[in-house]
């Protein structure tokens, strides 16, 4: 088995701002596992406010794979169980390797990834397109440049009234709002009549993940679906969302990959929580992994490939209703520009 580590640094079309900061590029680890002439690809972005670097992920993966023999495992889930014990404190690295292993096993078994989940390609929800925090003028420019049926607006810096009023004037599309923990419960309750006035479709993580009492309070008030993001990271977080949120937004990178995400969806369904899956601005590789979950999702935010100015893989395409087309190839179904990726090669292991 050979493993290739790549560090990518793809530029956004526009500077991307949320309540936690601004970035112009997305750095990520792309891993390629090659075994028996089959290649499996995985990806995990490097996120500054989680203090996870590409270099740390590479170092941790190398240690985790020191005694790893792919040929001794029957499926990616078995590999994940082994690697979870070797990577207890780095879900980002665990996600990258788990994704690559799912891609490899699906290709080995001559299947598309979603076929390994036993889910037919039906009931596909449309993706939104995220508009980062910006001036009203630039937000309007972005919306006019990217015609979508659903927009996800990042708010949380105090000018919510102005932005909501302005956006309602230049689009009739559905609006989702992501606050990234940017509000207090008092501020939320003050703004809530505006959310109803402008027919906001969902509200994502309005309060700090530590403000559990505030979340209980706003849950009793909100007729608009509240989705947990920062509050629901791993499998262990799902049950505590009851009576605080109507749904959860799963991030593959944060939860540790495809294997635990499948279990999170099952448990959320059992508890009556709606399921959304979101991007962390991955390229086509990470976005493709999200695509294969689509038949199991109520909503999706998989616009990473739409926000980036450049890419090194293709195979993720959307129809006129912003629904992802069925992936064509085996595994993740992406075609990688090997030469472009080779220029980002950091190390072979």
């Amino acid at each position: 088995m050979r493993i290739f580590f790549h560090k990518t640094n793809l530029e956004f079309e526009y500077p991307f701002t949320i309540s936690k900061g601004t970035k112009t590029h997305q750095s990520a680890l792309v891993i390629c596992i090659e075994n028996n002439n089959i290649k499996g690809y995985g990806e995990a972005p490097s996120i500054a406010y989680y203090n996870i670097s590409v270099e740390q992920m590479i170092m941790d993966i190398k240690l985790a794979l020191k005694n790893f023999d792919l040929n001794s495992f029957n499926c990616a889930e078995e590999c994940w169980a082994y690697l979870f014990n070797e990577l207890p404190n780095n879900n980002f690295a665990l996600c990258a390797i788990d994704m690559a292993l799912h891609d490899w096993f699906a290709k080995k078994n001559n299947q598309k990834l979603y076929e390994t989940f036993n889910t037919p390609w039906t009931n596909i929800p449309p993706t939104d397109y995220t508009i980062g925090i910006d001036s009203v003028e630039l937000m309007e420019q972005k919306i006019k440049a990217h015609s979508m049926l659903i927009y996800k607006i990042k708010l949380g810096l105090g000018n919510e009234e102005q932005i909501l009023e302005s956006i309602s004037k230049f689009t009739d599309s559905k609006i989702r709002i992501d606050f990234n923990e940017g509000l207090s419960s008092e501020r939320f309750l003050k703004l809530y009549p505006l959310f109803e006035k402008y027919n906001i479709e969902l509200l994502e993580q309005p309060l700090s993940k530590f403000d559990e009492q505030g979340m209980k309070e706003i849950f009793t008030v909100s007729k608009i679906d509240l989705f947990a993001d920062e509050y629901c990271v791993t499998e262990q977080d799902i049950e505590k969302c009851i009576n605080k949120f109507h749904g959860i937004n799963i991030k593959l990178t944060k939860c540790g990959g495809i294997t635990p995400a499948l279990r999170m969806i099952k448990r959320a369904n059992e508890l009556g929580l709606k399921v959304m899956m979101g991007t962390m601005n991955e390229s086509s590789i990470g976005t493709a992994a999200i695509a294969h979950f689509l038949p199991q999702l109520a909503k999706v935010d998989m616009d990473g490939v739409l926000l980036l100015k450049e890419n090194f893989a293709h195979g993720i395409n959307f129809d006129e209703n912003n629904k992802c087309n069925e992936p064509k190839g085996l595994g993740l179904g992406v075609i990688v520009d090997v030469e472009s990726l080779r220029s980002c090669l950091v190390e072979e292991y």
Side-chain angles (χ1 to χ4, degrees):
M1 183 179 75
R2 302 167 68 195
I3 304 173
F4 302 88
F5 297 101
H6 309 83
K7 181 178 181 179
T8 62
N9 194 37
L10 301 179
E11 184 179 2
F12 286 104
E13 181 180 6
Y14 309 104
F16 190 74
T17 301
I18 65 174
S19 62
K20 298 178 185 295
T22 300
K23 55 186 176 181
T24 59
H25 292 72
Q26 181 58 65
S27 177
L29 168 68
V30 173
I31 185 172
C32 174
I33 293 175
E34 185 175 353
N35 192 59
N36 296 332
N37 296 316
I38 300 173
K39 293 181 179 179
Y41 290 93
E43 179 180 11
S46 173
I47 306 297
Y49 53 84
Y50 283 100
N51 296 314
I52 301 292
S53 67
V54 170
E55 292 74 17
Q56 184 67 50
M57 284 190 274
I58 293 174
M59 183 173 66
D60 289 349
I61 290 174
K62 285 167 60 179
L63 288 172
L65 295 178
K66 187 175 182 180
N67 298 310
F68 180 82
D69 178 11
L70 179 55
N71 295 315
S72 66
F73 295 94
N74 296 312
C75 61
E77 288 79 7
E78 288 183 4
C79 296
W80 188 93
Y82 170 85
L83 292 168
F84 176 74
N85 292 319
E86 303 296 318
L87 283 165
N89 301 309
N90 194 333
N91 278 358
F92 285 53
L94 186 58
C95 172
I97 189 88
D98 182 59
M99 192 182 298
L101 288 166
H102 270 87
D103 189 29
W104 188 89
F105 274 103
K107 289 174 178 174
K108 178 189 176 186
N109 295 322
N110 202 38
Q111 290 181 298
K112 298 176 182 180
L113 181 59
Y114 77 85
E115 292 174 333
T116 71
F117 303 157
N118 295 315
T119 53
W121 192 261
T122 57
N123 301 318
I124 306 303
T127 187
D128 55 33
Y129 179 86
T130 304
I131 306 294
I133 295 174
D134 217 323
S135 67
V136 171
E137 293 75 20
L138 287 176
M139 284 184 161
E140 180 178 1
Q141 289 179 26
K142 293 175 186 178
I143 288 175
K144 289 182 176 179
H146 298 274
S147 179
M148 300 287 287
L149 299 178
I150 309 172
Y151 293 101
K152 181 176 177 179
I153 308 297
K154 296 281 190 176
L155 296 178
L157 294 185
N159 58 345
E160 292 83 12
E161 296 100 331
Q162 177 192 8
I163 290 175
L164 287 173
E165 180 180 359
S166 299
I167 286 177
S168 69
K169 294 177 181 178
F170 50 76
T171 183
D172 293 324
S173 297
K174 292 181 181 179
I175 299 295
R176 301 169 177 173
I177 303 179
D178 185 3
F179 298 95
N180 291 111
E181 306 181 271
L183 299 184
S184 65
S185 58
E186 293 78 13
R187 178 69 173 157
F188 177 93
L189 295 173
K190 180 180 179 180
L191 291 171
Y192 184 76
L194 287 180
F195 303 151
E196 289 196 327
K197 176 182 177 181
Y198 295 119
N199 296 313
I200 302 303
E201 185 191 32
L202 69 81
L203 301 164
E204 185 176 341
Q205 197 65 52
L207 312 186
S208 165
K209 61 185 177 184
F210 301 110
D211 188 3
E212 296 194 343
Q213 186 57 43
M215 287 186 287
K216 290 178 182 178
E217 181 181 359
I218 67 173
F219 179 81
T220 62
V221 172
S222 183
K223 298 178 182 178
I224 302 170
D225 282 347
L226 302 172
F227 273 75
D229 182 1
E230 286 87 350
Y231 187 70
C232 185
V233 176
T234 67
E235 300 173 71
Q236 291 70 36
D237 298 325
I238 296 177
E239 294 196 16
K240 68 181 185 180
C241 292
I242 298 172
N243 295 326
K244 302 185 189 78
F245 293 94
H246 303 91
I248 62 172
N249 185 2
I250 298 172
K251 302 290 181 64
L252 294 177
T253 301
K254 293 196 289 187
C255 77
I258 291 169
T259 297
L262 289 167
R263 295 195 294 259
M264 291 178 75
I265 291 173
K266 180 181 178 181
R267 186 58 180 147
N269 288 335
E270 292 171 348
L271 295 173
L273 292 167
K274 299 176 183 179
V275 180
M276 177 179 180
M277 190 166 282
T279 181
M280 294 187 76
N281 300 317
E282 293 93 341
S283 73
S284 287
I285 292 175
T287 305
I290 297 172
H292 288 270
F293 281 90
L294 286 169
Q296 304 181 63
L297 305 178
K299 302 181 187 298
V300 70
D301 169 31
M302 54 178 296
D303 60 354
V305 293
L306 303 177
L307 297 173
L308 293 171
K309 189 176 182 180
E310 51 187 337
N311 212 332
F312 51 80
H314 62 278
I316 296 300
N317 303 293
F318 301 90
D319 66 16
E320 66 277 5
N321 295 315
N322 311 138
K323 295 183 178 182
C324 183
N325 293 315
E326 181 182 2
K328 300 299 183 184
L330 300 177
L332 291 175
V334 294
I335 300 172
V336 176
D337 184 339
V338 177
E339 290 302 318
S340 295
L341 197 56
R342 184 175 291 126
S343 66
C344 304
L345 181 65
V346 174
E347 188 175 349
E348 178 181 346
Y349 181 69

